[in-house]
Amino acid sequence: MPTLYIVATPIGNLEDISMRALRILGEVDFILCEDTRVTAKLLSHYSVKTPTISYHQHSSEKKQARILNLLKDGNSLALVSDAGTPGISDPGGKLVQAVIEKFNASVRVESVPGPSAVTAALSISGIPTDKYVFMGFPPHKKGRQTFIERITDSIYPVVVYESKHRIIKFLEELKDLNKKIIKKNQAIDDSVEVRHGASKKKKELKLQKRTPVTSVVVCRELSKMHETVYRGGLDHITEQIKNNQDDQKGEFVVIVGK
Ligand code: SAM
């Protein structure tokens, strides 16, 4: 049966790829790549000679139809992104959905699990992560403030991807909102203090309080030469990264703890 394999690839260290992933990349008819030049490095490192086809978030409907036809004609395909697990803040979801809708059970969709920056970061965070919320990238402009408010509203730790261009901006914005929450909580406490008696009203007021961010973990360049993990209070970590240009380079995962 033709199969679309969703194959996880390393997020930095080229050794972080499973034996099954390498076998499947070598066996399929074509590899669909977010960027064929990026994947070429991985394939050449492991001497995989399978032909590649570019497939990314801006690929046209026509391109998708061509890919679906390859499956219809009996070809098996592997989908990879530049790094990590396809579909996790990466192209993939739309194709998987289209394959399921078009072929029902006549084409298999199989996962080839492996690295993902979200799970790598959580695993070393030291924050209790039996429950967490993954929110991906904050929007650049429209909706950014709401996005950050949703992080502070969460009762579970929140994982966010952020680029080097906006990491300081993100931490500063989170810090500002957190300060407002602490100030508002204090105002609520003060007003509860002066209300003697009316206990129902007091309860209502207390319910308006939001839990401030207590700690953050910023993971930079996971599994790469300059892997660095910053753990601590939001203000302290923001200052630390802000004060050192080198700490602002590379790729980042931020875990906001409650
Ligand atoms: N699909 C990928 C995954 O499974 O993790 C994520 C792709 S997303 C386009 C890229 C973002 O993931 C980066 O901007 C960064 O936030 C995070 N990321 C990827 N590799 C990383 C690494 N080695 N260290 C820290 N963050 C990383």
Side-chain angles (χ1 to χ4, degrees):
M1 191 189 286
T3 303
L4 172 66
Y5 296 95
I6 308 300
V7 181
T9 57
I11 58 167
N13 191 321
L14 285 188
E15 289 178 12
D16 294 334
I17 186 154
S18 73
M19 289 164 74
R20 180 167 167 243
L22 287 176
R23 177 177 58 75
I24 282 166
L25 290 175
E27 281 176 5
V28 289
D29 299 292
F30 298 96
I31 303 173
L32 310 175
C33 310
E34 180 181 6
D35 185 332
T36 49
R37 290 160 305 179
V38 172
T39 303
K41 289 179 200 147
L42 177 74
L43 299 181
S44 116
H45 185 82
Y46 287 105
S47 309
V48 174
K49 306 258 184 297
T50 309
T52 57
I53 298 173
S54 128
Y55 176 78
H56 47 75
Q57 56 181 347
H58 303 297
S59 288
S60 61
E61 290 285 316
K62 209 167 130 195
K63 183 72 166 273
Q64 184 163 302
R66 222 186 103 207
I67 292 170
L68 294 177
N69 272 336
L70 286 172
L71 290 164
K72 191 166 147 242
D73 292 345
N75 293 288
S76 280
L77 311 175
L79 173 73
V80 298
S81 61
D82 287 352
T85 302
I88 309 300
S89 296
D90 257 348
K94 245 170 57 182
L95 182 63
V96 170
Q97 199 182 350
V99 169
I100 293 167
E101 275 168 16
K102 186 171 164 81
F103 298 107
N104 194 6
S106 61
V107 170
R108 280 172 64 85
V109 178
E110 239 179 70
S111 76
V112 183
S116 187
V118 51
T119 45
L122 284 165
S123 72
I124 55 163
S125 69
I127 284 180
T129 50
D130 45 338
K131 293 187 179 64
Y132 66 90
V133 176
F134 174 62
M135 288 184 58
F137 285 102
H140 293 187
K141 288 195 179 101
K142 198 166 171 279
R144 192 169 169 96
Q145 189 60 26
T146 314
F147 182 97
I148 293 176
E149 277 167 20
R150 293 222 170 104
I151 296 175
T152 57
D153 281 345
S154 170
I155 56 168
Y156 301 119
V158 178
V159 188
V160 168
Y161 285 166
E162 189 51 291
S163 86
K164 59 182 175 191
H165 307 294
R166 281 173 291 275
I167 184 71
I168 296 294
K169 184 170 184 265
F170 172 77
L171 292 170
E172 292 280 14
E173 285 167 340
L174 189 62
K175 215 173 89 176
D176 288 348
L177 185 59
N178 206 39
K179 272 196 192 126
K180 283 187 195 149
I181 292 172
I182 293 169
K183 211 169 148 193
K184 195 165 171 204
N185 285 351
Q186 188 57 54
I188 291 172
D189 284 344
D190 292 348
S191 98
V192 167
E193 290 261 305
V194 297
R195 279 170 198 266
H196 306 292
S199 67
K200 194 171 164 213
K201 190 77 189 162
K202 274 188 199 174
K203 232 181 186 173
E204 279 168 18
L205 278 169
K206 277 193 173 164
L207 281 176
Q208 288 174 16
K209 284 174 73 171
R210 286 156 73 194
T211 318
V213 172
T214 48
S215 58
V216 287
V217 179
V218 178
C219 300
R220 184 172 81 88
E221 294 288 81
L222 289 164
S223 78
K224 300 186 197 173
M225 199 185 351
H226 296 293
E227 171 169 326
T228 320
V229 182
Y230 313 82
R231 298 185 181 86
L234 178 56
D235 293 8
H236 171 71
I237 298 299
T238 308
E239 284 314 302
Q240 191 182 345
I241 299 177
K242 218 167 127 179
N243 291 335
N244 189 345
Q245 290 287 326
D246 283 344
D247 288 345
Q248 296 165 33
K249 292 180 184 156
E251 298 193 280
F252 293 87
V253 181
V254 182
I255 305 177
V256 182
K258 284 295 180 92

